[in-house]
Amino acid sequence: TAARAEHKRVSVTSLCIASQVPPTTALRWISQMVAAGLLERVNDDADRRRAFIALSDMAADAMARYFEEIRKNSVSLV
């Protein structure tokens, strides 16, 4: 969500490192999330060995609704 908001790309390698789990586990979860339509895999045109991962529009919309609910609940507590 942060990368999308900042118009930054996240490589598969960076996502695996950030997950702090074994690479095979991270890659398996990434594949499952791509299959579920939550993430999109985008090949790097400049380097075919590299790919980037982005939130799908569906996941981005869900995250926006989630943050809006948090904002609403935070305002009602004040």
Side-chain angles (χ1 to χ4, degrees):
T1 300
R4 185 179 176 114
E6 296 170 0
H7 304 287
K8 292 186 178 178
R9 300 189 306 177
V10 178
S11 70
V12 170
T13 302
S14 293
L15 195 54
C16 288
I17 291 167
S19 71
Q20 297 184 344
V21 297
T24 53
T25 301
L27 291 169
R28 184 173 57 251
W29 278 103
I30 290 169
S31 294
Q32 290 176 355
M33 292 161 79
V34 168
L38 297 172
L39 300 177
E40 296 173 351
R41 185 181 180 98
V42 180
N43 291 325
D44 184 353
D45 292 333
D47 184 349
R48 295 198 176 256
R49 296 169 296 174
R50 183 169 54 179
F52 297 100
I53 298 296
L55 278 183
S56 67
D57 290 340
M58 176 184 73
D61 291 343
M63 291 300 294
R65 289 191 306 274
Y66 171 74
F67 287 124
E68 180 60 21
E69 283 299 314
I70 289 174
R71 188 194 65 75
K72 280 194 244 180
N73 290 333
S74 296
V75 169
S76 66
L77 293 175
V78 177

